[in-house]
Amino acid sequence: MAETKQLSDEDQVKDIIARANRIPVWSLPTAFLAIIGIGYFFTFYDISDIGLAMPAIAKQFDIGTSLSLFIALSVGLIGYGIGSYIIGSLADIYGRYRSMILTMGLTALGSFGDAISVNVPELTIFRFITGLGLGADLNLVSSYVSEFAPPSIRGKITVYTFLIGILGQAITPFVGLSLVPVYYNGWRYLFGIGAVIAFIALILRFELPESPRWLAAKAHNLEKARKVLEMMEATAVKKIGKLPDPKPEEVVLEEPKFPTLYLFRRPYSTRLGLLVVMWFFWYIGNYAFLGDSAAILASAGFSISSSILYLAVGAIGYPVGAAIMVVSADRFERKYVIFADTVVWFIGLMLFSAKISAFIFAGSFLASMALGMYLQVAYTYTAENYPTRARSSGFALTDGIGHVGGAFGALLLPVLVASYSFAFGFRFIAITGLIAGILAMLGPKTSNRTLEAISA
């Protein structure tokens, strides 16, 4: 009887996966992409706001450069790594939906606490809480969207949500420019706006369904998986009419175990190692550029307003890069696109390193554009490389450990600039970004393939 029941469950899972993979269009309400995107908007808003706020915070709290950097970057990244793995593991065990509610609740709480902090210990605690939510949310959104999106347009759909989110990174410098240098409590207003955005995103997320792939992976949730799938099929039929016939998928139900344990066998162990190193090198430059550039420009003789203006104008590149990926993410093999993105990054930072106003503007734009091009495509690529039972855990480990590179880069760049030169520091992070692209070329092909085929 037990064997018959197991075979029956396996056949049901195969049917659910085959029905999901035959849907060629985004099969949730279009508004759901906006709901997911608003959460992303806050994520990138917060990534940018701390670097803009720290000069004013350091002055008001009378703290030195080293402690300022630690609070601004390291504490948040520590929380990021811990939250990403713990909540990512919970998402593989208890579901994507519940975990996405938890992450946005934490980020709303953390950002509100940032705004009302009156001393360094309070700010440190709330930056940690914000980091817990942010790290896990980036992980979960990529996994969640990938599990709903059709293979042929998975890259495009994930970039759509990212395009809404990256506007947060483009708009934040302008918001910071209008608040931080103008008002004594401008940095508090900057965090307060983020808290409001996060709270709105939290309320809206209650409308989202659970991933049918995750439900199917848990055999006792097969009926719930079918109900979500029926809703998806009904939405798709309204858009395109009759759906193609489902093609059977090779799906094997394995003995349930803690999600991380799936990752320490081939091919996932090899992918985990490669992707961790790729993200480590990418985040070195990513966080150094986002967190340190304004302060380094100010130290190099530019005013705070001018320093923020260079980055604000350059930030127009974020949505431009994401828009380019809307038409490129599925047209070409994903890992080649990632490499091309890092070439743009390299050129941008080499221009920025010249420390000439026109080149700083151009370099800031290209570096920002490269970030807008790279991030969601690389997030999608990372999520695709792991099985459903450990997708969030795999992404979390990859991204969480990779963020050690972010903490390292953010602390290292000012040292390199001070010890050698402005040009040396920014050329260094230009090279580390390019290395990430070279490493991506060593990974498997994923474009236009089902998640089950990639993870086989």
Side-chain angles (χ1 to χ4, degrees):
M1 285 296 290
E3 184 177 351
T4 302
K5 178 66 166 62
Q6 178 64 30
L7 290 174
S8 176
D9 284 348
E10 188 168 330
D11 288 340
Q12 290 182 70
V13 172
K14 287 182 179 181
D15 177 64
I16 289 168
I17 298 301
R19 286 168 61 188
N21 283 336
R22 71 169 173 164
I23 300 174
V25 295
W26 175 251
S27 53
L28 295 178
T30 304
F32 284 10
L33 286 175
I35 290 173
I36 296 166
I38 291 171
Y40 247 156
F41 184 99
F42 169 80
T43 297
F44 288 104
Y45 179 96
D46 187 83
I47 288 172
S48 296
D49 68 7
I50 185 63
L52 301 172
M54 278 317 296
I57 293 172
K59 184 177 180 180
Q60 288 183 29
F61 287 1
D62 193 25
I63 55 179
T65 302
S66 297
L67 182 57
S68 173
L69 277 173
F70 179 74
I71 296 171
L73 299 163
S74 300
V75 170
L77 289 177
I78 291 168
Y80 188 115
I82 294 172
S84 182
Y85 178 68
I86 293 176
I87 301 176
S89 297
L90 291 175
D92 282 331
I93 298 170
Y94 298 108
R96 314 318 191 202
Y97 170 79
R98 295 174 186 173
S99 298
M100 287 173 67
I101 297 296
L102 173 61
T103 58
M104 197 48 58
L106 286 171
T107 54
L109 172 63
S111 196
F112 178 73
D114 294 339
I116 63 172
S117 295
V118 296
N119 54 44
V120 171
E122 284 187 14
L123 182 62
T124 302
I125 290 169
F126 285 114
R127 286 311 300 166
F128 179 78
I129 293 173
T130 305
L132 287 175
L134 283 180
D137 203 63
L138 277 173
N139 156 13
L140 291 170
V141 167
S142 296
S143 297
Y144 182 83
V145 176
S146 293
E147 290 176 5
F148 277 99
S152 62
I153 57 171
R154 188 163 54 236
K156 179 189 294 187
I157 292 297
T158 55
V159 172
Y160 278 146
T161 62
F162 179 75
L163 186 57
I164 298 171
I166 203 66
L167 289 174
Q169 206 153 3
I171 291 171
T172 308
F174 291 100
V175 177
L177 185 62
S178 67
L179 294 175
V180 178
V182 178
Y183 303 102
Y184 180 78
N185 285 323
W187 66 272
R188 296 186 187 275
Y189 305 148
L190 188 64
F191 286 130
I193 291 170
V196 171
I197 295 169
F199 183 74
I200 292 171
L202 171 63
I203 298 302
L204 292 174
R205 281 193 177 183
F206 284 97
E207 297 294 318
L208 300 175
E210 181 56 89
S211 161
R213 273 190 166 84
W214 177 83
L215 289 168
K218 305 288 184 179
H220 61 278
N221 285 327
L222 292 173
E223 185 57 36
K224 292 180 181 178
R226 277 191 289 271
K227 287 181 179 179
V228 175
L229 188 58
E230 288 167 4
M231 180 268 290
M232 293 168 60
E233 289 172 331
T235 302
V237 167
K238 289 179 182 178
K239 289 183 177 181
I240 63 169
K242 189 176 185 299
L243 296 176
D245 293 330
K247 296 179 181 179
E249 294 284 348
E250 287 301 318
V251 179
V252 179
L253 291 185
E254 303 180 57
E255 188 68 26
K257 54 188 175 184
F258 189 69
T260 304
L261 297 178
Y262 290 101
L263 303 175
F264 293 104
R265 66 180 190 193
R266 291 184 178 273
Y268 310 124
S269 58
T270 303
R271 296 178 185 181
L272 178 65
L274 175 66
L275 291 169
V276 162
V277 179
M278 181 191 84
W279 279 108
F280 181 91
F281 275 98
W282 176 256
Y283 280 138
I284 287 174
N286 184 341
Y287 277 88
F289 178 72
L290 293 175
D292 295 335
S293 294
I296 290 174
L297 285 168
S299 299
F302 299 94
S303 68
I304 292 178
S305 295
S306 296
S307 301
I308 295 177
L309 182 62
Y310 284 126
L311 300 176
V313 173
I316 298 170
Y318 293 126
V320 172
I324 291 171
M325 289 299 99
V326 168
V327 297
S328 305
D330 295 305
R331 183 171 297 180
F332 307 103
E333 172 51 45
R334 210 115 47 221
K335 65 180 183 177
Y336 302 145
V337 173
I338 291 171
F339 173 72
D341 299 342
T342 64
V343 172
V344 176
W345 167 266
F346 178 81
I347 295 170
L349 267 295
M350 293 299 286
L351 288 172
F352 195 94
S353 71
K355 208 170 71 171
I356 300 170
S357 290
F359 285 7
I360 293 175
F361 276 122
S364 178
F365 175 83
L366 287 176
S368 299
M369 187 172 78
L371 281 165
M373 294 166 68
Y374 179 98
L375 286 173
Q376 188 54 49
V377 174
Y379 288 150
T380 302
Y381 185 72
T382 300
E384 290 170 327
N385 269 278
Y386 299 115
T388 298
R389 284 187 177 274
R391 182 162 291 116
S392 290
S393 304
F395 192 114
L397 269 180
T398 302
D399 196 52
I401 299 173
H403 265 82
V404 174
F408 173 72
L411 296 173
L412 179 64
L413 180 59
V415 174
L416 293 178
V417 170
S419 301
Y420 298 98
S421 67
F422 184 97
F424 183 90
F426 283 96
R427 288 171 185 171
F428 175 83
I429 63 173
I431 293 169
T432 58
L434 187 61
I435 290 172
I438 294 170
L439 290 169
M441 298 280 281
L442 303 177
K445 294 183 177 181
T446 64
S447 294
N448 298 305
R449 300 177 66 196
T450 67
L451 294 176
E452 289 67 37
I454 297 167
S455 64

